[in-house]
Amino acid sequence: MGEMIRPGLARRLSRDIAGEVHLDRFTRGRYATDASIYQIMPAGVVVAKTAADVAAALDAAREEGVPLTMRGGGTSQCGQTVNSGLIVDTSKYLNRLLELDVAGRRALVEPGIVLDDLNRLLRPHGLWFPVDVSTASRATIGGMVGNNSCGARSLRYGTTRDNVIAIDAILSDGTAGHFGRLDQNAAGEPPRDLVAAMLALGRREADEIARRFPTVQRRVGGYNIDALTPAAEPVNLAHLLVGSEGTLAISTAIEIALSPLPKPTRLLGACHFPTFRAAMEAAQHLVALKPTSVELVDATMIGLARRIDMFVPTLEAFVEGDPAALLLVEFADEPDENAASMAALEDVMAGLGYGFGRGGLHEGGVVAVADLKLQTAIAELRAAGLNIMMSMKEEGKPVSFVEDCAVPLEHLADYTDRLTAIFEKHGTRGTWYAHASEGCLHVRPVLNIKLDKDVKAMRAIAEEAFAMVREYKGSHSGEHGDGIVRSEFHEQMFGSRIVAAFEEVKTAFDPGNRLNPGKIVAAPKMDDRSLMRYPPGYAVEDLATGFDWSAWPGSAGGLQGAVEMCNNNGACRKSAGAVMCPSYRVTSNERDVTRGRANTLRLALSGQLGRDALFSDEMAETLQLCVSCKACRRECPTGVDMAKMKSEVLYQRGRVKGYSLKDRLIAALPRYAPVAARLSGLVGLRDRVPALAALSERLVGLSRRRSLPRFRRDWFRDGEGAVAGRQQETKGVVLFADTFGRWFDPETLRAAVRVLEAAGYAVKTAAVPQGGRPLCCGRTYLAAGMLDRAKAEAERTIAALLPEIDRGWSVVGLEPSCIFTLRDEFLALVPGAAAARVAEHSLLFEEFLMREQKAGRLSLPLRPLGRPALLHGHCHQKAFGAMSSVEGALRLIPEIDLSVVESSCCGMAGAFGYDAATIDISMAMGELSLLPAVRAAPADAVIVADGTSCRHQIDDGAKRQALHVAQVLAAALEPAAVSAAQAREGGVSR
């Protein structure tokens, strides 16, 4: 499982490192994997704060005799960033743009800067780093240099190597050097004897390199010793380091070439084909039109993407029928040139015999996409392709090991046919995606690598596929690098003389073999199961779970399979856009990202973190900052639902260790709320008397800095939603009065009643038929992990709602977290037809209005507000794709001036924002975008936030009152639509 940390090394790291040093088993476990099939437990993790930290870690590792491996985003497909010894993470601190020369189109960056973050800094200057890899939201420039990453537009912009000018790096002996063009006398050049040896090697092996190196653009295998030959004059030693996977030197600063931003007038043609081979045959003809990219999307990926909510609208917008394959052809020139190219593309497709409506082998054609927003959505879909493929819930998954092969375009159709036959021979099938323009297709056979027979099949497929690639004079490593997967095959691909030259390079740079050993040279077998994430003997003990996980395979009722859906792709590590993962955006800690939590949970379930790790304090700390935003449910390409997993783990821990006073107090809120509301003046003393606030922090853990929600004596009564004489009407709704709205914000529910009745609907509040305690979705119990109590709430709620649903009425609610509990957790707490029926007929207030509007049934007399509106979406609205409904409902108001805050979680997240242990993180989340946007809004702007927690956070953090969309619509009602009985308080004052 890796080397144990040595006492001397631990002392030295603690003394010399200004950043973070982690030697505990849980953190080491989180760094034991990347996005490959491999897992090696490291001896320790250093999160470097400065370049001096990197040098100190290297010195310590060298003197203590342990390896050192550099790591950025940890998204390597081939096991490049896993190793024993020390792992040095540069992504948290070493991520600055050091210099920018706009006129010279160059920049100097630290290795840990993420590509998307860099490009956001460059965009105002009209520049970008054009190696647009699919992992741009988390891939670091250092990692891209290590891999020689390519990207979708390499046809026009080349690979990372083509865009690197120079590298400042540290050799394994601690010597710092500037690696760049040898005809430019820069200070700090590498040792002369090293340079001389490399130049001599290049001269000596020039003919063999010319003979054995593939001529396809996408060759990233081995060392770039072709950069050393006389043909490469002037020699740039940085290009030798590019693609070396951290085995030769450690980058501390990277000088890169920049390009002008692509023109915003680009056009995209989605070429539809009736068979996969037809697309492969067409690729060479489409590339002749000189597009910027030609990307493949196959039927398997389309089918899987149709199961993922966030991709469905995009697919509906550009996919016609059920094509076997799509080729996405992009043109990014001047408008007239793009139009001409699109016309030529349509002519080529017609010339090949394809047209919509022709049927059979001629069914196909081009869907032209001019809308840039849709193009971006399609690009995001394509970029998520590898991970969409991993969203299969069965034991077998598409496995990455031959996905990088690149062959000349004229052989592409034959190559894919023959490779498909190889897969069939070994009893499997492949998934296809990626760069048709370069002949580099990311194909992954579906295998279960927990089984010896499938691991043996993996090796056999690799050997046969690589032999075929040699036959076509292609490259076995076309984009994702070598790592453990492909390094052992270099001799077959390049010959013994070239491999000997690789070994000579490694020895010259790193004679002690301390820098990321086992990659490129002296590699282990790719099918060594002891190095894999699922080694021999891997097993998960059975567990009685609170949720139903039966949709997934494996032990613990399927919880094992659900956790193992995380393939470490790292989409959760993005720092901007959408929602996932809000706590990571504040801390930048691997522990606080969905991937880190899932890895920890997998290791704990399988016993690799010690006995009872699942119930440990370390496990609780791992999950502490998960705010259950549920963004991962939608945004994780493999659908990892960490919010649900957190509730399950808290349930398992609670069964063993019990629950804290704070958890019990928060969970039981729906039960004691009626009493607290009647004693609201007494309960409110906590916020008015500082000593009581301090006492609540000390005894319960509720932060004294946070005011608590105020119980209302005018709480919402069930009868308020019942209008006499109208209950038999079919045009009606059942209002689900959530606990928070009922006891804290009754004006929101009253506003909803006014709006619904003004629209002509009868409204009845959902209630237990025989009376008694109000209904509750059980959200507070879920947050505390009390799944048995939550299940009881779900059962009584389902029983109360079904008769109303059976009479044809929809269940409508205001609080997103509550309504989506009915649509999500209820299905896992009380699986069956009854829960499914409740889920199907439960809608948010705004979803109901938009459904009725679309059906032509909504008549709502509204007038202009006369004020701008700023909307913040609740995490669960975003996670369930409901943001368009709330925007649409607000746009029912004539002449509304509406803007939407691009925000992640508000930071309150229920009890999370009240906890003394997490209030600082809570406020920091709010400060990422939401609170600054609210402060900057005009003084008369209406701030709209449907979540109770969101409104409280806005009030606390920005001192602005936020309103539910129902209140805003109620304020916009025409006066004639508001009866005297409905004219109660609440809503926007004019």
Side-chain angles (χ1 to χ4, degrees):
M1 290 298 293
E3 300 185 21
M4 293 303 295
I5 200 72
R6 303 177 186 183
L9 179 59
R11 287 193 297 270
R12 178 157 184 175
L13 292 174
S14 298
R15 183 191 70 202
D16 294 345
I17 300 296
E20 303 166 19
V21 177
H22 299 284
L23 307 179
D24 63 284
R25 186 159 40 180
F26 277 70
T27 303
R28 289 161 51 216
R30 286 188 277 270
Y31 282 84
T33 51
D34 54 13
S36 71
I37 61 176
Y38 299 102
Q39 174 179 296
I40 303 174
M41 186 70 80
V45 176
V46 172
V47 182
K49 203 165 194 175
T50 63
D53 275 357
V54 176
L58 177 61
D59 288 346
R62 181 179 63 251
E63 293 175 18
E64 292 292 333
V66 299
L68 182 142
T69 296
M70 300 300 294
R71 176 173 168 129
T75 60
S76 302
Q77 299 281 328
C78 310
Q80 289 96 321
T81 59
V82 297
N83 224 318
S84 60
L86 287 182
I87 303 292
V88 179
D89 184 347
T90 63
S91 64
K92 183 173 182 178
Y93 299 114
L94 288 174
N95 52 19
R96 294 176 299 164
L97 170 60
L98 299 173
E99 297 176 13
L100 175 60
D101 177 0
V102 174
R105 294 182 185 169
R106 55 165 291 279
L108 185 68
V109 301
E110 290 181 315
I113 192 168
V114 169
L115 176 58
D116 272 357
D117 294 340
L118 171 63
N119 281 334
R120 271 189 286 273
L121 296 173
L122 298 175
R123 190 172 296 120
H125 304 285
L127 298 172
W128 73 317
F129 186 64
V131 187
D132 55 339
V133 294
S134 63
T135 53
S137 65
R138 60 271 195 199
T140 63
I141 298 298
M144 293 172 64
V145 167
N147 263 11
N148 190 16
S149 297
C150 300
R153 295 180 175 87
S154 60
L155 193 65
R156 174 161 296 190
Y157 295 106
T159 67
T160 297
R161 170 181 171 177
D162 300 313
N163 293 276
V164 168
I165 299 170
I167 298 173
D168 291 332
I170 307 173
L171 298 174
S172 64
D173 64 359
T175 302
H178 179 81
F179 292 79
R181 281 176 49 171
L182 292 182
D183 63 335
Q184 297 176 345
N185 295 322
E189 289 184 350
R192 291 184 178 180
D193 56 345
L194 177 64
V195 175
M198 292 300 98
L199 293 177
L201 182 149
R203 290 192 297 270
R204 186 188 75 220
E205 303 297 339
D207 291 342
E208 185 73 357
I209 290 169
R211 189 170 72 88
R212 296 305 299 256
F213 271 39
T215 56
V216 293
Q217 183 190 41
R218 284 178 174 265
R219 180 204 61 77
V220 301
Y223 292 126
N224 291 326
I225 56 176
D226 57 323
L228 303 172
T229 65
E233 294 289 350
V235 169
N236 188 329
L237 289 179
H239 293 175
L240 180 61
L241 297 188
V242 174
S244 65
E245 301 184 356
T247 62
L248 300 183
I250 298 172
S251 302
T252 56
I254 302 162
E255 186 179 358
I256 53 178
L258 308 176
S259 295
L261 280 169
K263 297 182 183 300
T265 53
R266 61 183 184 270
L267 277 178
L268 183 70
C271 299
H272 292 52
F273 295 91
T275 67
F276 186 83
R277 181 178 176 91
M280 297 301 93
E281 290 176 335
Q284 57 188 314
H285 303 293
L286 306 186
V287 168
L289 299 176
K290 297 184 179 180
T292 50
S293 66
V294 181
E295 296 293 294
L296 167 70
V297 176
D298 81 340
T300 301
M301 180 173 161
I302 294 170
L304 289 170
R306 280 176 170 153
R307 302 181 197 172
I308 301 173
D309 291 345
M310 69 182 294
F311 295 126
V312 171
T314 301
L315 289 169
E316 291 176 344
F318 82 101
V319 178
E320 291 280 346
D322 293 300
L326 300 173
L327 289 180
L328 305 178
V329 184
E330 183 190 78
F331 301 102
D333 295 302
E334 296 297 334
D336 290 348
E337 296 175 277
N338 290 340
S341 295
M342 184 60 67
L345 178 64
E346 292 170 346
D347 288 344
V348 168
M349 288 292 289
L352 293 172
Y354 301 114
F356 291 119
R358 292 188 179 182
L361 296 178
H362 298 285
E363 181 63 32
V366 182
V367 173
V369 180
D371 181 72
L372 291 180
K373 188 175 181 180
L374 179 56
Q375 288 181 21
T376 300
I378 294 171
E380 290 171 353
L381 167 65
R382 187 210 60 77
L386 286 177
N387 304 308
I388 290 173
M389 298 299 191
M390 297 298 289
S391 66
M392 297 177 179
K393 290 184 177 179
E394 57 262 35
E395 287 275 14
K397 295 286 193 298
V399 180
S400 170
F401 62 100
V402 293
E403 92 287 354
D404 242 19
C405 299
V407 299
L409 283 176
E410 62 267 25
H411 301 305
L412 192 56
D414 288 340
Y415 166 71
T416 53
D417 273 358
R418 292 175 63 186
L419 193 54
T420 297
I422 291 173
F423 296 157
E424 292 173 351
K425 169 185 170 183
H426 292 282
T428 187
R429 67 192 190 282
T431 60
W432 302 85
Y433 143 84
H435 316 296
S437 58
E438 307 284 2
C440 180
L441 297 181
H442 296 323
V443 55
R444 293 184 170 199
V446 177
L447 298 167
N448 180 4
I449 58 171
K450 295 174 185 170
L451 304 178
D452 278 334
K453 70 177 185 65
D454 280 24
V455 173
K456 290 176 181 175
M458 178 177 73
R459 179 167 197 93
I461 291 169
E463 291 175 345
E464 293 177 50
F466 294 157
M468 186 165 50
V469 169
R470 282 200 311 275
E471 177 186 334
Y472 289 127
K473 300 188 185 308
S475 169
H476 74 311
S477 187
E479 179 173 13
H480 293 150
D482 299 330
I484 300 172
V485 169
R486 283 183 278 275
S487 292
E488 71 158 296
F489 294 100
H490 285 336
E491 187 157 355
Q492 295 178 30
M493 300 305 298
F494 294 108
S496 56
R497 182 167 176 175
I498 291 294
V499 168
F502 290 165
E503 292 169 348
E504 186 178 336
V505 171
K506 171 67 171 175
T507 300
F509 275 84
D510 180 26
N513 194 28
R514 290 295 170 195
L515 298 182
N516 205 17
K519 318 296 161 56
I520 300 182
V521 300
K525 294 292 185 183
M526 61 91 76
D527 55 337
D528 182 348
R529 285 197 64 196
S530 69
L531 302 178
M532 292 186 182
R533 195 180 304 182
Y534 307 120
Y538 175 88
V540 170
E541 290 188 15
D542 209 5
L543 198 67
T545 61
F547 281 130
D548 174 25
W549 299 96
S550 60
W552 292 269
S555 295
L559 176 61
Q560 173 188 354
V563 172
E564 290 173 358
M565 288 299 292
C566 177
N567 70 339
N568 280 17
N569 66 77
C572 42
R573 285 176 59 97
K574 61 189 173 193
S575 60
V579 180
M580 182 177 66
C581 184
S583 52
Y584 172 76
R585 297 185 186 193
V586 170
T587 70
S588 298
N589 291 331
E590 181 69 17
R591 180 194 64 187
D592 302 322
V593 71
T594 302
R595 178 179 74 179
R597 295 172 184 130
N599 273 323
T600 308
L601 185 51
R602 175 179 56 81
L603 292 168
L605 285 169
S606 57
Q608 297 179 73
L609 296 178
R611 186 176 179 180
D612 295 333
L614 186 66
F615 319 120
S616 67
D617 291 344
E618 292 90 342
M619 190 74 233
E621 290 169 3
T622 299
L623 296 173
Q624 183 183 39
L625 299 189
C626 172
V627 294
S628 298
C629 66
K630 299 188 78 69
C632 49
R633 179 190 180 277
R634 176 181 175 87
E635 296 174 32
C636 171
T638 58
V640 174
D641 189 343
M642 187 51 59
K644 198 173 292 179
M645 292 175 188
K646 178 180 180 178
S647 290
E648 183 69 63
V649 173
L650 293 178
Y651 172 64
Q652 300 297 336
R653 177 182 168 91
R655 294 173 70 189
V656 174
K657 295 192 171 185
Y659 297 94
S660 68
L661 174 60
K662 179 190 67 184
D663 288 339
R664 294 198 302 271
L665 185 65
I666 291 170
L669 171 64
R671 290 186 172 271
Y672 64 73
V675 176
R678 288 179 172 86
L679 302 175
S680 60
L682 184 61
V683 174
L685 288 175
R686 183 270 184 192
D687 288 345
R688 297 195 296 274
V689 180
L692 292 178
L695 184 65
S696 75
E697 180 171 301
R698 187 165 66 252
L699 295 181
V700 185
L702 297 174
S703 174
R704 71 180 75 187
R705 294 154 50 196
R706 180 79 78 177
S707 64
L708 298 181
R710 184 168 64 90
F711 286 95
R712 297 278 289 274
R713 295 185 66 86
D714 62 336
W715 68 84
F716 185 84
R717 272 76 170 176
D718 286 346
E720 295 186 58
V723 181
R726 300 184 64 188
Q727 293 311 303
Q728 300 307 312
E729 296 183 22
T730 57
K731 189 178 180 183
V733 300
V734 182
L735 181 66
F736 187 81
D738 61 277
T739 295
F740 313 108
R742 180 186 295 272
W743 303 108
F744 301 140
D745 298 314
E747 59 272 13
T748 61
L749 292 164
R750 290 175 181 132
V753 171
R754 288 204 301 278
V755 173
L756 291 168
E757 292 187 339
Y761 298 93
V763 181
K764 178 183 179 181
T765 303
V768 177
Q770 62 272 27
R773 184 167 57 85
L775 292 175
C776 176
C777 70
R779 184 80 246 165
T780 56
Y781 291 118
L782 289 168
M786 299 180 185
L787 300 189
D788 47 354
R789 303 276 185 90
K791 180 177 181 180
E793 293 295 325
E795 289 172 338
R796 66 191 291 267
T797 299
I798 290 170
L801 294 179
L802 273 180
E804 308 294 349
I805 291 171
D806 288 341
R807 62 190 289 219
W809 287 28
S810 294
V811 177
V812 173
L814 271 62
E815 177 61 37
S817 62
C818 294
I819 286 297
F820 290 124
T821 295
L822 271 60
R823 290 190 0 205
D824 186 15
E825 282 87 355
F826 273 26
L827 299 172
L829 287 169
V830 193
R837 189 157 168 76
V838 169
E840 180 185 0
H841 292 277
S842 297
L843 299 166
L844 282 176
F845 169 79
E846 56 269 20
E847 288 180 311
F848 173 78
L849 293 181
M850 288 298 95
R851 187 193 74 179
E852 298 298 283
Q853 168 83 354
K854 186 175 181 180
R857 295 190 294 262
L858 184 67
S859 176
L860 195 57
L862 299 173
R863 56 178 177 168
L865 280 177
R867 299 161 57 182
L870 179 69
L871 170 64
H872 162 69
H874 188 284
C875 292
H876 293 184
Q877 286 175 313
K878 297 168 184 172
F880 288 83
M883 279 301 293
S884 60
S885 292
V886 68
E887 289 187 54
L890 286 168
R891 294 192 189 280
L892 293 173
I893 301 172
E895 303 173 17
I896 189 168
D897 176 11
L898 176 65
S899 54
V900 181
V901 183
E902 185 179 318
S903 55
S904 181
C905 178
C906 73
M908 181 62 82
F912 182 87
Y914 299 99
D915 195 322
T918 53
I919 186 172
D920 289 333
I921 300 295
S922 168
M923 296 308 300
M925 286 184 194
E927 293 294 348
L928 288 174
S929 57
L930 172 60
L931 296 178
V934 171
R935 294 188 198 108
D940 66 338
V942 178
I943 311 299
V944 188
D946 280 1
T948 300
S949 292
C950 304
R951 294 194 295 273
H952 197 143
Q953 179 79 315
I954 290 168
D955 184 37
D956 269 10
K959 307 305 178 188
R960 298 283 293 268
Q961 180 190 14
L963 303 167
H964 192 282
V965 64
Q967 294 172 276
V968 181
L969 291 175
L973 287 172
E974 291 285 357
V978 184
S979 69
Q982 295 169 323
R984 300 177 184 155
E985 64 182 355
V988 185
S989 59
R990 289 181 175 275

